[in-house]
Amino acid sequence: MPNHLSGETSLYLLDHQSQPVNWYPWGEDALAAAKAQNKPILLSIGYATNPWCELMAKESFADPATAQIMNEHFISIKVDREERPDLDKVYQSALQLLNKGNGGWPLTVFIDPQNLTPFFGGAYFSKDATSTMPAFADLLMRLHQAFTDQAEDLRTQAAKMAQAVKQMYPPLLDPNMPDADLVFLAKDQVSHQFDESEGGFGQGPKFAMTCRLQGLLRHWAIARRHKENHKDALEVVMTTLTKIARGGIYDHVGGGFFRYTTDRQWRTPYFEKVLYDNAQLLAVFAEALRLGPDPLFQDAINDTINWLMSDMRHERGGFYGSQDALLVQSNETSVGKYYLWRREEVKKLLAEDEYLLVETLYGLDKPANLDNHWSLHRRDSYRSVVERLSMQTEAANELLVSAKKKLFLARQARSAPRTDESILTAWNGLLISGLVGAGTVMKRPDWITTAQQLADFIFAHCWDGKTLTANWRNSGHRSIGFLDDYANVLMGLLDLLQCRWREQDAAFAVALADAVISGFYDTDNGGFFFSHEDQAHLIFRPKPTLDESVPPGNATLAQALTRLGHLLGNTEYLDVATNTLRWARAIMEQYPSSHYGLITALEEANESLVQIILRGPVEEMQAWKQAVGNNYAPWRSCYSIPFDDTKTVPSYLPGLVSSETKNKVSAFIYDGTECSKPITDLDAFKKVLID
């Protein structure tokens, strides 16, 4: 019989609806039942594409004997962390205090039903006993016994835990060092973690860590503006991006980036594709291309957007959350089989010259790197391979395109991985920025149009005029939005406005900024809470600062509100951004390398900006915008605002405009304190840009 999850819409929750465990979703029914029966809550938080979640479900939650213990002695609640990231943040933080270390997924926490405070927890628990932990069923019985016999002791421990969790975030302190010293210290720490040989950070498993890459690239550019050469920061970024684009973490046949690799050399990925990774990598690859063309980076961007458009886009314009690593067939479960190749299979598919190129480029002449199969990756640069094979570049390009098309069609005939069709607002906000960055640098107006359509989707389906929702599904199910939803969509809109100004996007950005300040901002100390003030409060309200798989909302908003404040001349936005950075200063100084998103926001806030506002006929403004160029200057922004749009424009611009002025282009340069007089001659404008 189905349990209480059968009415849910989350793919992850529906995966557990027919298990013998009497699962509840998080809500009043489950919490009331636990309190009334005085049974501890077994809270299990995970997501659909996580391998350890799937393993624990198969081993323990599908096991009737284990389920019987859970049903008899616990109220079991299953949560999709992508639907309720607030629950995940709260109980991950609590678990870190309990275990004096990191958490993970599936998050498994045992909670006192009276005060919702955890008294024991962990991540994955094995069905069988290990050297450090009893079998999961035995652990359940021990915890039931402890809750029954040692209730007062556990409540005392829980009270201490609740107090400790509330004190996890820093007090408001004055800086102990100048901003420039803190920025340099963070850069230095991150650079010391850089793997000079293979790129990335650490020895493996390796994640792209795009927040660091983007921050380091911007730091290098800003330092160069001030005649300082921090080439180590640039080397970290370019080496890592090159290794990623050549490595197995990138899908060389179908496009898109996998979540992480299990090895130091980026060769063997865990074959899960997630929207937020691909969105952020599009953005950072696009920023790197502003330094100069690179076919490797351009191909990665192009093929990734093709994959997103073909596999991950809903017909109404939103993009799905992820594709699973597990391939489940009739009686077989395999990880990554869809993406793997045998040498003889490839040889049969390709012509002789095609195979020679593919074999050399993707290492098929080397030993197999995953279960007697090849996960494709490039060991060497394309140019070196072409020269080694004595091929002409143009002919080699044609062979590679033809070969990849054949491999792609052959792979399409296989059983494909499952797609989680959740459309998550925060992740789609990141994708707006990624599409805009890629479309701008690669001169693809169709990608900019896709970003506009995505912004329209969010406005139509995830915004009710006052609040954002965290997700959208065809069923109509939505959940109230969190900090990352507002932060990422606002930043995406600001990036979009630089590329194409639309009054509706500008008004939406202002509405989001006002809403997030009204509902999430800590007026006493500065900084933003993760949950809205009207949402049901848990044992504490997190204020995220750490770099995780997506940048913390406080970092994104500090940047976005600084930009929007300068754009519109709104001092409230600037004050909120300043106070957010001031609040986070103590924890930034304590752990600089773990807060690179906030460090980047701090560095940008201290940089003297150059903001260019163009006004005039849309067509004529294009030549002026091209004069600004595609150079990488993160301190500079340019907005082309037609005179038809008069509702959301900078307050420092002239309010009255003559009919004669409307028919020509006027450029205004704003330095953060004052605005220049209008420049109406294109050559004079170009001279000012050079100066």
Side-chain angles (χ1 to χ4, degrees):
M1 293 293 293
N3 49 42
H4 301 281
L5 302 180
S6 58
E8 297 298 306
T9 57
S10 157
L11 177 62
Y12 177 66
L13 298 186
L14 291 175
D15 282 345
H16 295 77
Q17 66 177 321
S18 298
Q19 291 171 344
V21 177
N22 188 29
W23 290 114
Y24 286 83
W26 182 276
E28 287 302 319
D29 289 348
L31 301 181
K35 198 169 189 177
Q37 299 174 42
N38 197 34
K39 287 183 178 180
I41 295 168
L42 192 168
L43 175 63
S44 176
I45 302 178
Y47 57 101
T49 57
N50 182 278
W52 296 103
C53 293
E54 292 167 345
L55 181 60
M56 193 167 178
K58 181 179 179 181
E59 287 182 343
S60 295
F61 303 149
D63 175 54
T66 304
Q68 183 177 352
I69 297 172
M70 293 171 66
N71 295 339
E72 185 173 349
H73 298 301
F74 299 88
I75 296 297
S76 299
I77 299 179
K78 178 62 74 172
V79 168
D80 184 342
R81 68 144 185 159
E82 293 167 2
E83 278 195 339
R84 292 299 304 268
D86 57 329
L87 286 165
D88 186 54
K89 286 187 182 295
V90 165
Y91 287 107
Q92 289 283 2
S93 298
L95 179 61
Q96 290 172 27
L97 289 176
L98 278 171
N99 292 351
K100 295 182 173 58
N102 295 324
W105 298 280
L107 179 64
T108 310
V109 185
F110 297 85
I111 299 172
D112 188 316
Q114 306 304 325
N115 54 33
L116 300 185
T117 303
F119 59 86
F120 186 83
Y124 163 78
F125 288 104
S126 173
K127 180 182 179 182
D128 301 317
T130 67
S131 59
T132 58
M133 191 66 64
F136 186 57
D138 292 338
L139 175 66
L140 292 173
M141 291 304 300
R142 293 187 192 185
L143 291 171
H144 160 67
Q145 197 67 41
F147 186 80
T148 303
D149 298 342
Q150 304 170 36
E152 287 305 315
D153 292 342
L154 290 177
R155 295 228 164 92
T156 300
Q157 174 188 320
K160 293 178 180 177
M161 152 78 71
Q163 191 61 30
V165 168
K166 291 176 182 178
Q167 296 174 352
M168 288 186 69
Y169 293 98
L172 192 61
L173 298 175
D174 291 329
N176 285 324
M177 64 177 76
D179 290 348
D181 290 352
L182 177 57
V183 169
F184 186 82
L185 175 62
K187 188 271 296 183
D188 206 38
Q189 285 187 358
V190 169
S191 296
H192 275 93
Q193 297 169 19
F194 173 57
D195 182 348
E196 294 184 10
S197 173
E198 300 296 340
F201 305 96
Q203 300 298 302
K206 280 187 174 176
F207 294 79
M209 303 186 78
T210 47
C211 189
R212 287 184 173 186
L213 298 178
Q214 196 165 50
L216 285 170
L217 190 58
R218 292 179 181 183
H219 171 79
W220 168 81
I222 289 171
R224 191 165 178 260
R225 184 190 189 194
H226 297 289
K227 312 302 181 185
E228 298 177 12
N229 186 5
H230 292 186
K231 64 179 182 180
D232 57 330
L234 180 62
E235 183 178 342
V236 170
V237 176
M238 301 307 285
T239 300
T240 300
L241 290 180
T242 299
K243 293 289 186 179
I244 287 173
R246 288 183 186 174
I249 194 172
Y250 174 64
D251 180 359
H252 292 270
V253 172
F257 298 91
F258 299 112
R259 184 75 186 90
Y260 63 93
T261 57
T262 59
D263 62 314
R264 179 185 176 191
Q265 291 80 19
W266 304 94
R267 294 173 184 169
T268 309
Y270 182 72
F271 296 92
E272 172 194 8
K273 292 180 182 178
V274 183
L275 183 62
Y276 57 69
D277 288 316
N278 284 274
Q280 292 176 93
L281 280 166
L282 284 176
V284 74
F285 272 110
E287 288 195 27
L289 281 173
R290 290 182 182 272
L291 306 183
D294 186 318
L296 180 69
F297 293 0
Q298 292 166 329
D299 287 347
I301 287 176
N302 188 70
D303 291 348
T304 295
I305 293 179
N306 286 343
W307 163 71
L308 287 167
M309 296 294 287
S310 65
D311 287 17
M312 301 296 286
R313 195 184 193 201
H314 188 277
E315 60 184 7
R316 297 191 187 182
F319 286 78
Y320 302 136
S322 60
Q323 280 187 338
D324 208 336
L326 284 180
L327 179 63
V328 181
Q329 294 174 310
S330 56
N331 59 351
E332 175 189 10
T333 300
S334 61
V335 176
K337 188 173 181 180
Y338 178 76
Y339 301 100
L340 299 178
W341 300 91
R342 289 191 181 276
R343 179 189 288 148
E344 291 305 315
E345 177 189 10
V346 176
K347 210 167 190 175
K348 289 178 181 178
L349 287 170
L350 305 182
E352 185 176 346
D353 284 349
E354 291 172 339
Y355 177 76
L356 179 62
L357 178 60
V358 167
E359 177 191 56
T360 311
L361 184 61
Y362 293 113
L364 296 180
D365 54 347
K366 304 292 191 301
N369 63 320
L370 186 59
D371 298 332
N372 296 316
H373 289 73
W374 277 261
S375 171
L376 299 184
H377 59 273
R378 297 186 182 185
R379 291 174 177 265
D380 203 349
S381 72
Y382 181 61
R383 177 185 296 179
S384 297
V385 169
V386 171
E387 290 177 354
R388 192 157 65 245
L389 295 175
S390 300
M391 289 183 173
Q392 296 297 317
T393 301
E394 187 174 339
N397 292 345
E398 293 177 359
L399 289 172
L400 184 59
V401 169
S402 173
K404 287 174 70 172
K405 184 177 181 180
K406 291 177 181 178
L407 293 174
F408 178 77
L409 292 173
R411 200 175 75 176
Q412 287 287 92
R414 302 173 181 175
S415 297
R418 182 176 63 165
T419 299
D420 183 347
E421 296 186 352
S422 303
I423 296 177
L424 302 171
T425 306
W427 300 4
N428 277 269
L430 291 171
L431 185 57
I432 293 175
S433 294
L435 288 168
V436 168
T440 301
V441 76
M442 292 183 64
K443 296 180 172 52
R444 289 291 301 267
D446 53 324
W447 294 347
I448 308 297
T449 300
T450 299
Q452 287 182 319
Q453 292 168 346
L454 179 50
D456 292 343
F457 172 89
I458 293 172
F459 183 82
H461 298 288
C462 305
W463 172 251
D464 65 3
K466 295 181 179 179
T467 58
L468 273 177
T469 58
N471 56 18
W472 179 87
R473 291 187 180 86
N474 265 332
S475 63
H477 175 81
R478 306 175 188 184
S479 58
I480 191 167
F482 300 96
L483 184 64
D484 289 352
D485 301 301
Y486 289 82
N488 294 342
V489 174
L490 175 56
M491 183 63 85
L493 290 172
L494 288 173
D495 290 335
L496 185 56
L497 284 168
Q498 279 204 69
C499 191
R500 290 182 191 168
W501 184 278
R502 294 191 303 175
E503 176 62 32
Q504 66 197 66
D505 293 332
F508 190 16
V510 170
L512 286 176
D514 292 342
V516 77
I517 292 172
S518 173
F520 294 81
Y521 183 60
D522 182 351
T523 55
D524 294 329
N525 299 300
F528 290 86
F529 295 105
F530 187 73
S531 57
H532 192 280
E533 63 178 3
D534 291 340
Q535 287 171 288
H537 292 180
L538 304 171
I539 56 176
F540 81 109
R541 286 178 79 190
K543 293 174 71 175
T545 61
L546 282 169
D547 301 331
E548 296 179 342
S549 52
V550 299
N554 274 292
T556 304
L557 280 173
Q559 289 178 284
L561 291 173
T562 297
R563 296 180 188 181
L564 186 60
H566 282 301
L567 170 62
L568 300 179
N570 186 314
T571 56
E572 180 191 6
Y573 297 160
L574 296 174
D575 290 343
V576 169
T578 298
N579 290 336
T580 296
L581 292 171
R582 188 165 65 94
W583 161 75
R585 183 53 179 262
I587 201 164
M588 278 194 275
E589 289 189 2
Q590 191 173 4
Y591 305 107
S593 64
S594 299
H595 293 86
Y596 216 83
L598 281 164
I599 295 290
T600 301
L602 178 68
E603 185 172 28
E604 289 192 8
N606 285 330
E607 188 63 16
S608 57
L609 60 82
V610 176
Q611 187 164 272
I612 300 166
I613 307 293
L614 301 176
R615 304 218 68 189
V618 174
E619 295 300 325
E620 292 183 26
M621 283 193 290
Q622 293 307 309
W624 291 64
K625 195 163 187 179
Q626 288 174 9
V628 177
N630 213 20
N631 297 330
Y632 185 55
W635 59 87
R636 186 169 66 192
S637 56
C638 179
Y639 300 89
S640 303
I641 307 177
F643 278 114
D644 293 340
D645 293 324
T646 58
K647 295 180 181 178
T648 310
V649 296
S651 61
Y652 46 80
L653 293 180
L656 297 176
V657 180
S658 67
S659 57
E660 179 185 355
T661 301
K662 285 187 177 183
N663 293 323
K664 62 184 178 181
V665 177
S666 298
F668 302 85
I669 299 179
Y670 177 66
D671 66 0
T673 58
E674 61 181 9
C675 187
S676 72
K677 292 181 179 180
I679 303 170
T680 56
D681 180 76
L682 181 56
D683 290 334
F685 178 63
K686 291 178 180 178
K687 187 175 185 302
V688 171
L689 292 178
I690 294 173
D691 294 343

